[in-house]
Amino acid sequence: MDKKFTLTYNPLYFLGSLGNGGLAVTFFMYLMFMIKHPDTPIPIFDNVYKVLIGSNKLNTFLTSVALIGILYFAYRLFKTLIWNLRGFYEYKKTEAYIKLKDSNAEVTLLAVPLTLAMTVNVIFILGAVFVPGLWNYVEFLFPFAVAAFMAIGIYALVIFSEYFSRLIIKGNFDFIQNNNLSQLLASFAFIMVGVGLAGPGAMSHNLATSVVAIFGSILFSTISASLLFIKMVLGFKSIFKQGISKENAPTLWIIIPIITLFGITFVRITAGIFHNILHSNPPPVLMFFVLSVFISIQAIIGLIGYVVLNKTNYFKEYVHGEKNSIGSFSLICPGVAVFVLGMFFIHWGLVKTNIITIFSPGYFILIAPLLLIQIKTIHILSKLNKKLFCTSKNCFEKRKSNLSPIKS
């Protein structure tokens, strides 16, 4: 592995960490929707422990698999995150970083707050599921979670404001190199902060905490939606004029995780408003309608993206072949996103509306394709890790030597 490591550092390596965090969340989805937790909005240690010591051996086994999945991919998240933070620290000392700051690729710096926001989400899951009694103090912890997401959001705003102001002042945006949707990384980062803030907004019973979190979520979601519209128009204009950049073709699918995060944000904000302000439950039919719209958008984007990636031989060359591109890590997020929004749609859109019954044959028929997508996503991430990631000390030193320092 060390001998094969020749790629210099790039902020898009953070997408590898992001993918691991996303896969940890997918395993949590099984616990979220299949384990009873009548007294808490999410399953906690007590709920999980009851299943583990229960008499139903199948439930015990499946729950154990989900817990192992969470722990493994959380471990991979933290391991690769540390690797990335070290690499990014060295990278900021180089001429490559200076050049990046004066190009379209400056937007890739937003992969850093994007991944940090995902990390906070994973930490929250780990605390709830694996720490006994932690939920008893959750109302004291929610303000810290809100503060963490706000800090990450401000960090993202600082990065983006420097980037956007440069384009406005200098007018040096390269439309020729914009024949992809990588600029949507900005929208992705802000909606990740938005969905994180929506969590305390939905789950906290303290009105002040809930309202502050919901307002923050709406703020960053609005920023994300605005950038989604602007950057999509600019991106597709260049794509339709010049054709898609083959190496960056997977960015067509970046809309899919953004849509998922908007969907979860909607569910959380709606639940928070109904529970803490209107003192009622949100109508299930509303969730069915809105989530159906989001699923439909994902289906269209997924189909178009797959046809393009297949016709350009991207999978054959960059995933299964010898060509390397750090942007290949962006393939992981759509798989995670389809799985997560699919689980929300099945349970919030279909089970709560009594269209299907949980654990019925029809229920498992709908879960099956999501399971296949999850397995395929794990398989692709494993291949990309072997091709592109190397976290040993030797690899780190070799990568460091490949970076050109800033000349004094």
Side-chain angles (χ1 to χ4, degrees):
M1 180 86 184
D2 291 9
K3 296 179 180 179
K4 296 179 181 179
F5 190 79
T6 58
L7 295 180
T8 56
Y9 187 77
N10 186 299
L12 288 179
Y13 267 115
F14 275 94
L15 296 182
S17 300
L18 179 72
N20 282 291
L23 284 168
V25 173
T26 62
F27 281 96
F28 175 72
M29 288 295 100
Y30 292 114
L31 307 182
M32 175 71 183
F33 294 115
M34 296 184 183
I35 289 183
K36 293 181 180 179
H37 46 95
D39 301 322
T40 55
I42 62 173
I44 61 174
F45 176 85
D46 293 345
N47 307 124
V48 175
Y49 184 69
K50 286 180 181 179
V51 176
L52 292 177
I53 63 173
S55 57
N56 190 317
K57 300 302 181 183
L58 179 60
N59 286 349
T60 299
F61 172 74
L62 294 176
T63 301
S64 300
V65 171
L67 293 173
I68 292 171
I70 293 172
L71 286 174
Y72 173 75
F73 286 106
Y75 162 74
R76 290 290 305 174
L77 163 64
F78 293 121
K79 182 177 181 179
T80 56
L81 178 62
I82 293 171
W83 184 91
N84 267 304
L85 292 173
R86 291 178 66 195
F88 187 60
Y89 175 77
E90 296 294 336
Y91 177 70
K92 291 177 71 175
K93 302 176 183 178
T94 68
E95 289 184 344
Y97 177 72
I98 300 300
K99 291 179 181 179
L100 178 137
K101 291 274 289 181
D102 198 41
S103 69
N104 289 12
E106 186 177 1
V107 74
T108 61
L109 296 176
L110 284 158
V112 182
L114 169 64
T115 306
L116 293 178
M118 171 61 83
T119 303
V120 175
N121 284 317
V122 172
I123 291 173
F124 189 86
I125 289 172
L126 292 174
V129 173
F130 292 101
V131 181
L134 184 64
W135 195 262
N136 297 328
Y137 307 96
V138 73
E139 289 295 347
F140 298 100
L141 298 175
F142 278 141
F144 291 100
V146 172
F149 282 116
M150 283 290 192
I152 294 170
I154 292 171
Y155 175 43
L157 280 172
V158 170
I159 294 174
F160 183 75
S161 62
E162 290 182 1
Y163 169 56
F164 211 57
S165 62
R166 172 178 63 82
L167 296 179
I168 293 173
I169 295 170
K170 293 185 178 181
N172 60 345
F173 186 77
D174 190 341
F175 285 92
I176 295 177
Q177 297 297 322
N178 192 45
N179 56 339
N180 57 78
L181 296 183
S182 60
Q183 293 294 314
L184 290 183
L185 195 61
S187 177
F188 196 1
F190 286 117
I191 191 57
M192 183 66 78
V193 175
V195 75
L197 285 166
M203 293 185 285
S204 177
H205 295 292
N206 183 287
L207 183 61
T209 301
S210 178
V211 169
V212 169
I214 288 174
F215 176 80
S217 178
I218 293 173
L219 170 65
F220 287 106
S221 299
T222 302
I223 296 172
S224 176
S226 302
L227 294 175
L228 177 63
F229 175 75
I230 295 171
K231 299 297 186 178
M232 274 187 62
V233 171
L234 294 177
F236 275 114
K237 179 182 178 181
S238 295
I239 290 171
F240 291 155
K241 187 174 182 178
Q242 299 159 185
I244 186 96
S245 165
K246 183 175 179 178
E247 185 175 345
N248 296 312
T251 60
L252 287 173
W253 274 351
I254 197 174
I255 303 172
I256 293 176
I258 293 173
I259 291 299
T260 286
L261 295 177
F262 271 113
I264 299 172
T265 301
F266 171 80
V267 170
R268 289 177 171 180
I269 289 177
T270 303
I273 290 173
F274 270 86
H275 292 157
N276 293 323
I277 299 176
L278 301 178
H279 304 293
S280 62
N281 293 317
V285 68
L286 175 64
M287 299 298 182
F288 169 77
F289 174 75
V290 174
L291 293 178
S292 294
V293 172
F294 288 142
I295 288 284
S296 300
I297 295 172
Q298 285 188 335
I300 295 169
I301 298 299
L303 175 62
I304 294 173
Y306 178 78
V307 171
V308 171
L309 289 167
N310 197 42
K311 286 188 174 182
T312 56
N313 291 320
Y314 188 90
F315 298 116
K316 183 179 180 180
E317 295 179 7
Y318 286 92
V319 177
H320 305 294
E322 296 298 322
K323 289 187 177 181
N324 292 329
S325 173
I326 303 169
S328 298
F329 280 120
S330 60
L331 293 171
I332 306 305
C333 297
V336 169
V338 169
F339 179 91
V340 172
L341 190 62
M343 292 291 280
F344 269 84
F345 175 70
I346 290 171
H347 294 90
W348 280 83
L350 301 179
V351 173
K352 285 184 177 291
T353 53
N354 296 316
I355 295 175
I356 63 171
T357 303
I358 192 169
F359 302 140
S360 65
Y363 172 85
F364 286 109
I365 290 174
L366 292 174
I367 292 289
L370 299 182
L371 175 61
L372 293 177
I373 290 172
Q374 183 189 33
I375 293 172
K376 184 64 176 178
T377 303
I378 293 171
H379 174 66
I380 292 176
L381 179 60
S382 176
K383 291 182 72 70
L384 294 178
N385 281 337
K386 292 178 181 178
K387 289 184 65 176
L388 302 173
F389 249 131
C390 184
T391 56
S392 72
K393 182 177 180 180
N394 289 339
C395 282
F396 181 82
E397 293 301 326
K398 188 172 183 179
R399 183 198 64 222
K400 183 177 177 181
S401 66
N402 284 335
L403 298 177
S404 301
I406 299 173
K407 297 178 181 178
S408 57

